[in-house]
Amino acid sequence: MSGLNATLGYFLAVVLFAASVRTLLKKWPQFGFILEFASSFMLVACRLEVQTIVEVGEWAGGLGPDVTVTMLFVVLLTHGIICDSASGNPTLVVLRFLQLEFTTLPTLLAVAAQFLGAHLALLVAVYYWSLELTDMHMIKNLMARECSTSLLVSVLQGFFTECVCTFIFNLIYLNLQRRPALIRVPLIAVLLTFLSYAARGYTSAYMNPSLAYGLTFHCSGFTFREYAVVYWLGSFTGMTIALLLYMGHIPRIFAKNLLYFQKTRFRVPKGDKAEKKKL
C-alpha cells in the first residue's frame, strides 16, 4: 500500500503542475504551445509510472492487472479533464493543421513543445525512481537503463498495428470532437485504455509520437529509425487515412472531395419542374 501511496502522490504533483500552467496561461491563448508542453509532460510522466507498475508492480508491489488498467483509465480521464484544449499529441495537432484550424508556426511550436515536455517528463521520472521510495522504484531504478521495449513484434507488424489503432482512434475522435466534453472526454479515455490493453502484446498502441518517444525510444531492442517508422510514421499514416475517410479530402492539400458527392442544400419542388416542362 505504501508503494501505491507514493505513486498517487507522484500523480498528484504532476497533475497540479499541469493544472497550474493551464490556469496561469488561460488569459494568454497565444501561448498555447506552452499548454501543449504541460499536457505532454503530464501524460508522459504519468504513463511512465503506469508502465513501471505494469513491469514490476505486480510482483514487487502486489499490484495486479486490474489496478494497472484502472490507473491507466484514471490517468487518461484526468488528462482529458485538465488538458482538454491541449492534447499533448502531435498527430492531433497536425490533424488540426490539415483541417486548416492551425497555421504553420503554431503547429511547429506545439509539436516541438510536446516533444520537449515528453523529454522533461522522462528526466523527472528517472529522478523520481532514483529516490527509491518503494521496492518497486528501487527495482525500476536498477533497470532504468535496460528498460523493456514496448515494441514486441517486427517493425512491419508494429507499423501496421500503430496505423490501425491510430486510424480507429482518430476516426472516432473526429466524430466526437463537436460533442460536449462531458461525453467526449470519458469516451476517449475508455477508447484509449481499450486500444492500449488490446495492443499490449504488439506496440501498446501509444498513437502519440511524443508519448512513444518518452516511453520506449530510449529502450534497447530497436534502432531510433525503426521506432520512428512504427510510432511516428505509423501514427501519422493512420491519422491521415482517418481524416481522408471522414472528410473525403484533406483541406490543407486539396479542396476537391474525392470520396463523397456534395448534395445541394436546396431542392426544386416537383410541381415547379412540371410547370417548367409545360412551358
Side-chain angles (χ1 to χ4, degrees):
M1 185 60 69
S2 61
L4 186 58
N5 289 336
T7 296
L8 292 177
Y10 170 77
F11 285 155
L12 181 60
V14 172
V15 170
L16 287 176
F17 170 76
S20 299
V21 173
R22 180 182 179 182
T23 302
L24 291 173
L25 296 178
K26 196 172 183 179
K27 297 181 180 179
W28 296 285
Q30 63 270 27
F31 297 111
F33 65 93
I34 301 180
L35 292 177
E36 290 292 348
F37 165 82
S39 176
S40 180
F41 173 83
M42 174 183 170
L43 183 61
V44 175
C46 291
R47 286 294 297 269
L48 281 167
E49 184 67 359
V50 172
Q51 189 179 58
T52 300
I53 298 173
V54 172
E55 292 176 351
V56 300
E58 185 172 353
W59 52 275
L63 304 176
D66 55 336
V67 176
T68 59
V69 173
T70 302
M71 293 188 73
L72 176 59
F73 171 73
V74 172
V75 164
L76 294 171
L77 181 62
T78 305
H79 179 266
I81 295 172
I82 300 297
C83 307
D84 184 36
S85 59
S87 63
N89 188 339
T91 60
L92 295 183
V93 172
V94 175
L95 175 68
R96 298 183 68 177
F97 171 75
L98 294 177
Q99 289 181 297
L100 302 179
E101 296 182 15
F102 283 173
T103 56
T104 303
L105 182 58
T107 300
L108 294 176
L109 288 175
V111 172
Q114 288 166 345
F115 278 99
L116 183 60
H119 186 71
L120 179 62
L122 179 59
L123 297 178
V124 170
V126 171
Y127 173 76
Y128 167 65
W129 296 329
S130 69
L131 298 177
E132 299 184 357
L133 299 177
T134 66
D135 293 339
M136 180 177 67
H137 295 129
M138 181 182 66
I139 297 172
K140 181 62 179 180
N141 186 43
L142 293 174
M143 57 185 293
R145 295 186 178 181
E146 297 296 334
C147 59
S148 302
T149 178
S150 300
L151 183 55
L152 303 177
V153 292
S154 66
V155 174
L156 182 60
Q157 288 176 306
F159 171 85
F160 181 76
T161 301
E162 282 295 306
C163 182
V164 171
C165 290
T166 308
F167 166 76
I168 295 172
F169 166 67
N170 279 271
L171 191 61
I172 295 177
Y173 174 84
L174 286 166
N175 282 278
L176 293 176
Q177 62 181 345
R178 304 301 179 189
R179 299 282 185 177
L182 188 63
I183 298 175
R184 183 182 69 255
V185 172
L187 288 179
I188 291 297
V190 170
L191 176 63
L192 290 172
T193 303
F194 170 76
L195 291 174
S196 178
Y197 182 78
R200 66 190 185 282
Y202 299 89
T203 64
S204 293
Y206 293 133
M207 299 167 286
N208 182 332
S210 61
L211 178 64
Y213 168 78
L215 265 63
T216 200
F217 269 50
H218 59 286
C219 299
S220 59
F222 294 89
T223 64
F224 187 94
R225 181 181 300 177
E226 290 172 331
Y227 279 128
V229 168
V230 173
Y231 291 105
W232 292 359
L233 184 60
S235 294
F236 284 115
T237 302
M239 176 273 295
T240 305
I241 296 174
L243 178 61
L244 181 61
L245 184 62
Y246 177 77
M247 299 190 67
H249 68 120
I250 301 176
R252 179 66 63 178
I253 300 177
F254 45 82
K256 184 178 180 181
N257 198 311
L258 302 179
L259 300 181
Y260 311 115
F261 292 104
Q262 294 182 347
K263 297 181 179 180
T264 56
R265 184 175 297 179
F266 304 101
R267 295 182 179 180
V268 179
K270 294 182 179 179
D272 293 348
K273 290 183 177 180
E275 292 179 0
K276 288 181 180 181
K277 288 182 179 179
K278 290 180 181 181
L279 293 175

